[in-house]
Amino acid sequence: LGGRMSQRMNSLGDKMKEVFQGSSQADKFVEEATSEKNGFSPDWGKNLQICDMVNAEGLTGQDVMRGVKKRLSSKSPAVQLLALVLLETCVKNCEKMFAEVASEKVLDEMVKLVDDPQTSSQNRDKILRMIESWGEATEELRYLPVFEETYKSLRSRGIRFPGRDEESLAPIFTPPQSAPIQSSSLARAQSDPKADPKEVFDVARNSSELLSTVLSSSPQKEALEDDLTRALVEQCRQSQLSVHRLLEGSPE
C-alpha cells in the first residue's frame, strides 16, 4: 500500500511539475513577444510562433492566456498594446482559444483597462473594437455568452465604441500559420483540383486579413521590408490564383 501511495505521489508530483514548467514556458514566450524593448511594433515572428506551439500542443492556450492577462495588467502602454495584438493573433489563428479567453477572465482585464483613465486612447479604442467584434459574432460565439454579455454591458453603461476596422473583422478561426507563411490548407487548395471551395475562400480571406493586420500594426516602411509581410503578400497572390481556378472550374 505504501509503495502504491508513493508511486501516486510521485506521479502527481511529475504532473504538477509539468503544469508549472508549461506555465513558466508560456510566460517566457509571452513576455518576449510583448517586451517593452519592442516599442509599439509587434513581433509577428514570435506571435505566430506562439500560435504554432499552441496548435501543436507545445503550449496550452490556457497558459498563454494567463500570460497575456498578466501583460495586460502592465502599466506600460506599449506592453498593453503588444499583449492585445498577441491576444488578437491567438484568437484568429488558434482553434478553441476563445474558450480560454473566457475561462481565464481576460475580458475582465480588458474592461478594467477601458475603465482606467490612465489607459491610452489607442489601447482603449483597440480593446473596444475587439470587444465589439466579438460581441457581435453571436452565431460563432453563441456557446460563450460572456462575449456578447460584456459587449452589451459596456453599451448599456454608455460606452461609445469607435467602430470596427478591417483589423477586427477576421473570422473566428483561421488555419494554423507560421513564419514564413505557407499554410497546409493553402497547399492543398493549390494542388487539389477538388479542394473544398469553403476552405479555398477561407484561406484567401484569412491571408488578406492577416496581411492587413500586419500592415496596420507596424510602421509602413518596416512592414514593407519585413520577411513576414513579403511571405503574406506571396500567399495572397497564390490564394488569388486558387480562387480563380476554382471559379473557372465551377459549373455555370
Side-chain angles (χ1 to χ4, degrees):
L1 181 62
R4 289 180 184 175
M5 182 64 73
S6 177
Q7 287 178 352
R8 289 179 182 176
M9 291 300 292
N10 288 337
S11 177
L12 180 60
D14 289 342
K15 288 180 180 178
M16 291 297 291
K17 187 183 295 184
E18 288 177 9
V19 169
F20 285 115
Q21 284 178 343
S23 178
S24 175
Q25 186 183 27
D27 282 344
K28 177 177 177 291
F29 278 103
V30 171
E31 286 173 7
E32 289 177 352
T34 60
S35 172
E36 198 165 17
K37 295 177 182 178
N38 297 334
F40 289 89
S41 299
D43 187 328
W44 290 105
K46 284 190 171 64
N47 286 355
L48 293 173
Q49 181 185 14
I50 289 172
C51 292
D52 282 346
M53 292 185 73
V54 171
N55 290 326
E57 299 183 356
L59 296 175
T60 70
Q62 186 179 43
D63 287 338
V64 170
M65 284 303 103
R66 285 175 182 166
V68 167
K69 185 178 178 182
K70 289 178 188 175
R71 301 301 275 172
L72 286 176
S73 66
S74 168
K75 297 300 182 184
S76 165
V79 171
Q80 291 172 3
L81 178 63
L82 296 180
L84 290 169
V85 172
L86 175 58
L87 168 59
E88 190 172 37
T89 305
C90 285
V91 298
K92 288 178 179 179
N93 290 279
C94 302
E95 192 175 14
K96 299 179 182 177
M97 186 61 83
F98 275 103
E100 307 297 0
V101 174
S103 66
E104 293 305 317
K105 299 184 178 180
V106 177
L107 275 174
D108 291 352
E109 200 62 44
M110 295 171 74
V111 172
K112 286 180 184 177
L113 287 173
V114 170
D115 292 334
D116 187 348
Q118 299 300 317
T119 301
S120 71
S121 58
Q122 179 186 13
N123 290 352
R124 189 174 188 273
D125 284 353
K126 183 165 187 64
I127 290 169
L128 291 174
R129 287 190 182 97
M130 291 167 70
I131 290 177
E132 183 178 22
S133 173
W134 300 342
E136 291 185 351
T138 51
E139 291 300 320
E140 298 92 335
L141 293 176
R142 190 177 299 281
Y143 70 105
L144 292 169
V146 66
F147 290 96
E148 186 178 7
E149 290 170 359
T150 300
Y151 173 46
K152 288 182 176 178
S153 173
L154 289 173
R155 288 186 62 180
S156 69
R157 287 167 44 193
I159 299 293
R160 298 190 63 180
F161 287 80
R164 287 182 289 165
D165 54 17
E166 290 183 3
E167 184 179 345
S168 308
L169 293 174
I172 295 305
F173 172 68
T174 61
Q177 297 171 333
S178 56
I181 299 296
Q182 181 61 41
S183 76
S184 57
S185 299
L186 177 60
R188 286 197 302 274
Q190 292 170 340
S191 60
D192 184 3
K194 296 181 180 179
D196 181 2
K198 182 179 183 302
E199 184 176 13
V200 173
F201 285 116
D202 282 348
V203 170
R205 180 181 59 184
N206 297 338
S207 302
S208 62
E209 286 166 348
L210 186 55
L211 176 60
S212 174
T213 300
V214 171
L215 292 175
S216 63
S217 301
S218 305
Q220 186 175 14
K221 184 177 179 181
E222 289 182 16
L224 293 176
E225 294 175 350
D226 186 70
D227 288 340
L228 174 60
T229 304
R230 286 194 284 267
L232 282 168
V233 169
E234 180 58 29
Q235 179 163 322
C236 287
R237 286 182 183 140
Q238 295 300 325
S239 294
Q240 186 179 31
L241 290 174
S242 298
V243 171
H244 284 165
R245 286 196 204 102
L246 185 66
L247 293 176
E248 288 172 357
S250 299
E252 294 183 2

